[in-house]
Amino acid sequence: MRFLHTADWHIGKKLHGYDLLEEQTDAFKQILAIAKDEQVDAIVIAGDLYDRSVPSVEAIEVFNRMIVEMNLQEKFPVLAISGNHDSSTRLETGGPWFIQSNFHLNTRLDQAFQPVEMENTQFFLLPYFEPISARLYFDNEEIRTIEQAMKEVITAMEKQFKPDMAHVLVSHFFVAGSEKSDSETKLMVGGLDTVPLSLLESFDYVALGHLHGKNALQAENARYSGSPLKFSLSEMNQKKGVWIVDTQVGETAFEFKEIQPLRDIVQIEGSFKELTAQQFYESFDCENYVHIQLTDRAVIPNMMNQLRQIYPRVIGVERLFGRELQQKRNETKKEIKALAPTELVGQFFSEVTGEELTQQQRVWIKDNLAELHQAERGK
């Protein structure tokens, strides 16, 4: 069987305040064209269909048009799951009749143990979940981490394996050894952060979502598709696209197909005079999203307005003068952003009280944050 693996569409996402719906529609058209050119039997979307749990009306309209064109008009079976940015409760609405058109959308953990069978392949659609969901489903109070949860989940899936079929897992989490970029939300609440790659060995292919670079994980049987668009400056040099996967029992092949951005993210460096000179800015597409590195030391009156007259999509301006101080500030910000929610609470607690959290207090914080996050996603 041949299928297309994509993920992290994040419909409705903005880039430094700029609307990306036009770019997302263009990327979808390219994905659909690849699906038709490659004559795939199905399209897999591994989570984060939307960028927010409560997407805008415009984002919903765009996604609905995509599904209609892909599934109803072009007749591609679609196998999708909810990601950490999606509201599983909202996405679940309509599920019972989606399946009638071969649109399989899993949003709950219990659905993952009923494989979707197509030709020679069993697809296990495992949506984003937190350890508390597995703790309740398996009635096991010992489950506190994603690793503990995934051991139970995969054991239950393996009981459904048919020996004469290939087995594909579709899911949305962070696999140990993967590399992140700045636009991804850390999955740390409730301990859902790392899944050992060794747990995935029984699958012929693992179609992953969450990380936005296709090279985030290099495994023989597992890949992140990456996002169709560049969502941050850290993704500037990434190639975006989809995987075309061919499954056979005991043997799987996959090939990356690149898509081109409607508007790219570029970085330019120079003095204000150089960057506003016609000879300079006519040398490339000013409609791109531009990050500017200025070499000037002097104050430039009305700088941003003048730059935006030439570069209408400026996503940031960095003064290279005094870079060491700025780098130090940026490093401090990155260190704070890198902390898990429980670590942030612990750091605040220590600064206020002068004491460290006890182990029991850490457990209470972790459990309550997980429940709050689950409640928020269910809205």
Side-chain angles (χ1 to χ4, degrees), residues 86 173 179 193 225 240 255 269 271 308 325 327 340 351 354:
D86 300 310
F173 46 65
E179 297 180 359
D193 184 48
S225 71
K240 299 297 186 177
E255 179 182 3
E269 177 184 335
S271 68
R308 284 199 169 114
L325 177 60
Q327 283 181 339
E351 290 175 358

PDB file of all heavy atoms in Angstrom, residues 86 173 179 193 225 240 255 269 271 308 325 327 340 351 354:
ATOM      1  N   ASP A  86      -4.804  20.686  19.146  1.00  0.00           N
ATOM      2  CA  ASP A  86      -6.219  20.505  18.805  1.00  0.00           C
ATOM      3  C   ASP A  86      -7.062  20.281  20.048  1.00  0.00           C
ATOM      4  O   ASP A  86      -6.582  19.764  21.059  1.00  0.00           O
ATOM      5  CB  ASP A  86      -6.392  19.300  17.869  1.00  0.00           C
ATOM      6  CG  ASP A  86      -5.640  19.455  16.562  1.00  0.00           C
ATOM      7  OD1 ASP A  86      -5.791  20.520  15.933  1.00  0.00           O
ATOM      8  OD2 ASP A  86      -4.914  18.521  16.175  1.00  0.00           O
ATOM      9  N   PHE A 173       3.913  12.801  19.245  1.00  0.00           N
ATOM     10  CA  PHE A 173       4.666  12.952  20.487  1.00  0.00           C
ATOM     11  C   PHE A 173       6.143  13.127  20.170  1.00  0.00           C
ATOM     12  O   PHE A 173       6.552  13.126  19.011  1.00  0.00           O
ATOM     13  CB  PHE A 173       4.449  11.770  21.435  1.00  0.00           C
ATOM     14  CG  PHE A 173       4.546  10.413  20.786  1.00  0.00           C
ATOM     15  CD1 PHE A 173       5.731   9.963  20.260  1.00  0.00           C
ATOM     16  CD2 PHE A 173       3.424   9.583  20.708  1.00  0.00           C
ATOM     17  CE1 PHE A 173       5.826   8.715  19.664  1.00  0.00           C
ATOM     18  CE2 PHE A 173       3.505   8.326  20.113  1.00  0.00           C
ATOM     19  CZ  PHE A 173       4.712   7.891  19.597  1.00  0.00           C
ATOM     20  N   GLU A 179      15.173  16.195  17.384  1.00  0.00           N
ATOM     21  CA  GLU A 179      15.608  17.578  17.519  1.00  0.00           C
ATOM     22  C   GLU A 179      14.431  18.514  17.322  1.00  0.00           C
ATOM     23  O   GLU A 179      13.632  18.342  16.405  1.00  0.00           O
ATOM     24  CB  GLU A 179      16.704  17.901  16.490  1.00  0.00           C
ATOM     25  CG  GLU A 179      17.975  17.090  16.677  1.00  0.00           C
ATOM     26  CD  GLU A 179      19.025  17.432  15.647  1.00  0.00           C
ATOM     27  OE1 GLU A 179      18.746  18.292  14.782  1.00  0.00           O
ATOM     28  OE2 GLU A 179      20.116  16.850  15.695  1.00  0.00           O
ATOM     29  N   ASP A 193       6.673  13.757  27.541  1.00  0.00           N
ATOM     30  CA  ASP A 193       7.742  14.428  26.826  1.00  0.00           C
ATOM     31  C   ASP A 193       8.530  13.478  25.950  1.00  0.00           C
ATOM     32  O   ASP A 193       8.763  13.772  24.798  1.00  0.00           O
ATOM     33  CB  ASP A 193       8.681  15.126  27.817  1.00  0.00           C
ATOM     34  CG  ASP A 193       9.760  15.920  27.105  1.00  0.00           C
ATOM     35  OD1 ASP A 193       9.413  16.666  26.182  1.00  0.00           O
ATOM     36  OD2 ASP A 193      10.935  15.775  27.450  1.00  0.00           O
ATOM     37  N   SER A 225       7.031  14.042   9.585  1.00  0.00           N
ATOM     38  CA  SER A 225       6.855  14.638   8.259  1.00  0.00           C
ATOM     39  C   SER A 225       7.315  16.090   8.269  1.00  0.00           C
ATOM     40  O   SER A 225       7.706  16.637   7.248  1.00  0.00           O
ATOM     41  CB  SER A 225       5.384  14.582   7.830  1.00  0.00           C
ATOM     42  OG  SER A 225       4.608  15.481   8.592  1.00  0.00           O
ATOM     43  N   LYS A 240      10.649  21.694   3.425  1.00  0.00           N
ATOM     44  CA  LYS A 240       9.325  21.258   3.829  1.00  0.00           C
ATOM     45  C   LYS A 240       8.714  20.360   2.763  1.00  0.00           C
ATOM     46  O   LYS A 240       8.979  20.508   1.573  1.00  0.00           O
ATOM     47  CB  LYS A 240       8.419  22.470   4.080  1.00  0.00           C
ATOM     48  CG  LYS A 240       8.917  23.397   5.178  1.00  0.00           C
ATOM     49  CD  LYS A 240       8.965  22.704   6.529  1.00  0.00           C
ATOM     50  CE  LYS A 240       9.312  23.669   7.639  1.00  0.00           C
ATOM     51  NZ  LYS A 240       9.296  23.027   8.976  1.00  0.00           N
ATOM     52  N   GLU A 255       9.953   7.954   0.777  1.00  0.00           N
ATOM     53  CA  GLU A 255      10.681   8.965   0.015  1.00  0.00           C
ATOM     54  C   GLU A 255      10.072  10.335   0.306  1.00  0.00           C
ATOM     55  O   GLU A 255       8.852  10.486   0.347  1.00  0.00           O
ATOM     56  CB  GLU A 255      10.591   8.660  -1.484  1.00  0.00           C
ATOM     57  CG  GLU A 255      11.311   9.670  -2.358  1.00  0.00           C
ATOM     58  CD  GLU A 255      11.153   9.373  -3.843  1.00  0.00           C
ATOM     59  OE1 GLU A 255      10.434   8.418  -4.178  1.00  0.00           O
ATOM     60  OE2 GLU A 255      11.739  10.116  -4.657  1.00  0.00           O
ATOM     61  N   GLU A 269      21.229  41.101   6.143  1.00  0.00           N
ATOM     62  CA  GLU A 269      22.104  41.859   7.041  1.00  0.00           C
ATOM     63  C   GLU A 269      22.712  43.028   6.295  1.00  0.00           C
ATOM     64  O   GLU A 269      23.081  42.920   5.121  1.00  0.00           O
ATOM     65  CB  GLU A 269      23.215  40.953   7.582  1.00  0.00           C
ATOM     66  CG  GLU A 269      24.225  41.664   8.458  1.00  0.00           C
ATOM     67  CD  GLU A 269      25.357  40.763   8.902  1.00  0.00           C
ATOM     68  OE1 GLU A 269      25.150  39.533   8.948  1.00  0.00           O
ATOM     69  OE2 GLU A 269      26.452  41.291   9.206  1.00  0.00           O
ATOM     70  N   SER A 271      23.573  47.707   6.655  1.00  0.00           N
ATOM     71  CA  SER A 271      23.206  48.995   7.246  1.00  0.00           C
ATOM     72  C   SER A 271      21.835  49.407   6.724  1.00  0.00           C
ATOM     73  O   SER A 271      21.360  48.897   5.705  1.00  0.00           O
ATOM     74  CB  SER A 271      24.241  50.056   6.880  1.00  0.00           C
ATOM     75  OG  SER A 271      24.183  50.350   5.486  1.00  0.00           O
ATOM     76  N   ARG A 308       9.208  48.762   6.428  1.00  0.00           N
ATOM     77  CA  ARG A 308       8.009  48.052   5.975  1.00  0.00           C
ATOM     78  C   ARG A 308       7.467  48.587   4.649  1.00  0.00           C
ATOM     79  O   ARG A 308       6.694  47.911   3.988  1.00  0.00           O
ATOM     80  CB  ARG A 308       6.930  48.117   7.061  1.00  0.00           C
ATOM     81  CG  ARG A 308       7.201  47.164   8.216  1.00  0.00           C
ATOM     82  CD  ARG A 308       5.948  46.891   9.026  1.00  0.00           C
ATOM     83  NE  ARG A 308       6.155  45.802   9.944  1.00  0.00           N
ATOM     84  CZ  ARG A 308       6.163  45.913  11.280  1.00  0.00           C
ATOM     85  NH1 ARG A 308       5.966  47.107  11.827  1.00  0.00           N
ATOM     86  NH2 ARG A 308       6.347  44.859  12.052  1.00  0.00           N
ATOM     87  N   LEU A 325      25.410  41.528  24.523  1.00  0.00           N
ATOM     88  CA  LEU A 325      24.407  41.745  25.563  1.00  0.00           C
ATOM     89  C   LEU A 325      23.079  41.133  25.155  1.00  0.00           C
ATOM     90  O   LEU A 325      22.400  40.488  25.960  1.00  0.00           O
ATOM     91  CB  LEU A 325      24.244  43.242  25.829  1.00  0.00           C
ATOM     92  CG  LEU A 325      23.173  43.642  26.858  1.00  0.00           C
ATOM     93  CD1 LEU A 325      23.506  43.021  28.208  1.00  0.00           C
ATOM     94  CD2 LEU A 325      23.079  45.159  26.956  1.00  0.00           C
ATOM     95  N   GLN A 327      22.605  38.652  23.054  1.00  0.00           N
ATOM     96  CA  GLN A 327      22.714  37.196  23.074  1.00  0.00           C
ATOM     97  C   GLN A 327      22.536  36.660  24.487  1.00  0.00           C
ATOM     98  O   GLN A 327      21.897  35.629  24.702  1.00  0.00           O
ATOM     99  CB  GLN A 327      24.064  36.756  22.505  1.00  0.00           C
ATOM    100  CG  GLN A 327      24.144  36.816  20.989  1.00  0.00           C
ATOM    101  CD  GLN A 327      25.478  36.355  20.458  1.00  0.00           C
ATOM    102  OE1 GLN A 327      26.479  36.347  21.172  1.00  0.00           O
ATOM    103  NE2 GLN A 327      25.517  35.969  19.198  1.00  0.00           N
ATOM    104  N   ALA A 340      10.297  22.887  31.992  1.00  0.00           N
ATOM    105  CA  ALA A 340       8.970  22.289  32.036  1.00  0.00           C
ATOM    106  C   ALA A 340       8.112  23.082  33.019  1.00  0.00           C
ATOM    107  O   ALA A 340       8.629  23.749  33.911  1.00  0.00           O
ATOM    108  CB  ALA A 340       9.069  20.830  32.485  1.00  0.00           C
ATOM    109  N   GLU A 351      12.291  30.769  44.860  1.00  0.00           N
ATOM    110  CA  GLU A 351      12.608  32.192  44.949  1.00  0.00           C
ATOM    111  C   GLU A 351      11.761  32.887  46.008  1.00  0.00           C
ATOM    112  O   GLU A 351      12.219  33.817  46.672  1.00  0.00           O
ATOM    113  CB  GLU A 351      12.397  32.853  43.586  1.00  0.00           C
ATOM    114  CG  GLU A 351      13.423  32.442  42.550  1.00  0.00           C
ATOM    115  CD  GLU A 351      13.125  33.014  41.184  1.00  0.00           C
ATOM    116  OE1 GLU A 351      12.086  33.706  41.036  1.00  0.00           O
ATOM    117  OE2 GLU A 351      13.924  32.796  40.245  1.00  0.00           O
ATOM    118  N   GLY A 354      12.403  30.315  49.580  1.00  0.00           N
ATOM    119  CA  GLY A 354      13.760  29.936  49.950  1.00  0.00           C
ATOM    120  C   GLY A 354      13.902  28.456  50.219  1.00  0.00           C
ATOM    121  O   GLY A 354      14.947  27.998  50.701  1.00  0.00           O
TER     122      GLY A 354
END
